[in-house]
Amino acid sequence: MPVQSFRPFQKRWAAFFILALVGVVLLAGCTTTTITTGSSSSSSADDLQQQVINAIGKAQPSVVEIQGRSLQGRGIGSGVILTADGYIITNDHVVRDFDSFKVQLKNDISVPAQLVGEAPDDDLAVLKINMKNLTPITAGDSDKLKVGQFVVAVGNPLGLSETATIGIVSALNRTASEGPEGPAAQLTGLIQTSAPINPGNSGGALVDLQGHWVGIPTLGAVDPTVGAPANGIGFAIPVNRATKVAQQIIQGGS
């Protein structure tokens, strides 16, 4: 009888031991997987951060500050170097109503600029400075942009030179009005972005994570209920449109 009662107990104990062993193995596997996953996430975040840093570093030498002056006052905006011999594109509202211009480069050199021509309906203009061996921006293809893609706005908001802000492409082919104060009554085909765009950003560069120029930050949305800027809603002119208009201005002045 003692022997018979012992055997079932022995089987139960063996089964319990096996189950416990399996549980330890599974727990160990889960722990290992968690550690590996965490490491991978950290690595991905580091990679993204480095991409942003590289994109900004690539674009900044090609983004300038534009200072306009007239008897009525002065203004500050941004511009993008198109050619090594000094052609610079910006928004028309950056140069509109000013008589003289200076361009400040990344190395803090400030030089006079001449207005080559304007395209008010597109809110674009081209300036020229008498310098050589400048760093033209690398143009991307705005037709290939995707909603959700990371982008960085580089410019001089509120006169704070070499400022970069990050966001995403929120939507494509937007239409926006510049209101009675803007040169263009309505702009179409715009890139909507969540990258903050403030006064002074106008005419600068919107770039992707490869540092390729994809748009010109032009205006921020205004909440009509309070008359204040709407956070996270800005618009940029696509680079494909901007470069086409710039070529026409350089060749014909308009």
Side-chain angles (χ1 to χ4, degrees):
M1 184 66 65
V3 174
Q4 291 176 348
S5 63
F6 174 74
R7 286 178 178 171
F9 176 80
Q10 186 180 40
K11 291 178 180 178
R12 287 195 299 272
W13 173 254
F16 176 80
F17 178 80
I18 292 172
L19 288 173
L21 182 61
V22 170
V24 170
V25 171
L26 289 174
L27 182 61
C30 291
T31 303
T32 302
T33 301
T34 301
I35 293 173
T36 303
T37 302
S39 176
S40 176
S41 298
S42 176
S43 176
S44 297
D46 291 342
D47 291 344
L48 175 59
Q49 178 174 275
Q50 192 58 52
Q51 280 185 288
V52 174
I53 292 171
N54 293 344
I56 294 170
K58 184 175 182 179
Q60 277 185 336
S62 305
V63 179
V64 301
E65 179 179 289
I66 297 173
Q67 303 166 4
R69 293 178 181 272
S70 70
L71 293 176
Q72 286 70 41
R74 60 181 184 174
I76 293 178
S78 302
V80 177
I81 298 173
L82 289 176
T83 64
D85 60 350
Y87 283 101
I88 295 168
I89 190 171
T90 185
N91 282 129
D92 188 45
H93 72 257
V94 171
V95 300
R96 194 175 180 83
D97 299 327
F98 293 112
D99 303 321
S100 64
F101 307 95
K102 282 190 176 181
V103 167
Q104 183 170 308
L105 305 173
K106 181 176 169 58
N107 53 12
D108 291 332
I109 294 177
S110 183
V111 294
Q114 298 296 320
L115 181 62
V116 177
E118 302 169 81
D121 290 343
D122 291 287
D123 196 1
L124 293 170
V126 174
L127 297 170
K128 177 72 165 63
I129 59 176
N130 187 23
M131 290 193 71
K132 305 291 185 182
N133 301 318
L134 299 173
T135 304
I137 198 160
T138 301
D141 186 351
S142 51
D143 289 341
K144 294 182 178 179
L145 285 174
K146 303 294 183 184
V147 174
Q149 184 175 337
F150 283 106
V151 285
V152 179
V154 182
N156 307 283
L158 306 180
L160 298 171
S161 60
E162 300 180 26
T163 294
T165 57
I166 189 170
I168 64 168
V169 174
S170 304
L172 297 167
N173 297 316
R174 291 298 201 199
T175 297
S177 171
E178 292 191 312
E181 297 181 1
Q186 192 175 68
L187 293 172
T188 60
L190 299 174
I191 303 164
Q192 181 183 329
T193 178
S194 63
I197 296 175
N198 293 289
N201 268 123
S202 294
L206 188 73
V207 300
D208 61 19
L209 290 190
Q210 286 70 52
H212 295 157
W213 180 39
V214 295
I216 296 181
T218 299
L219 70 157
V222 175
D223 184 346
T225 60
V226 294
N231 293 329
I233 304 178
F235 300 99
I237 298 171
V239 67
N240 291 4
R241 178 62 181 168
T243 53
K244 180 179 179 180
V245 172
Q247 290 170 359
Q248 294 173 347
I249 293 175
I250 292 170
Q251 293 169 2
S254 62

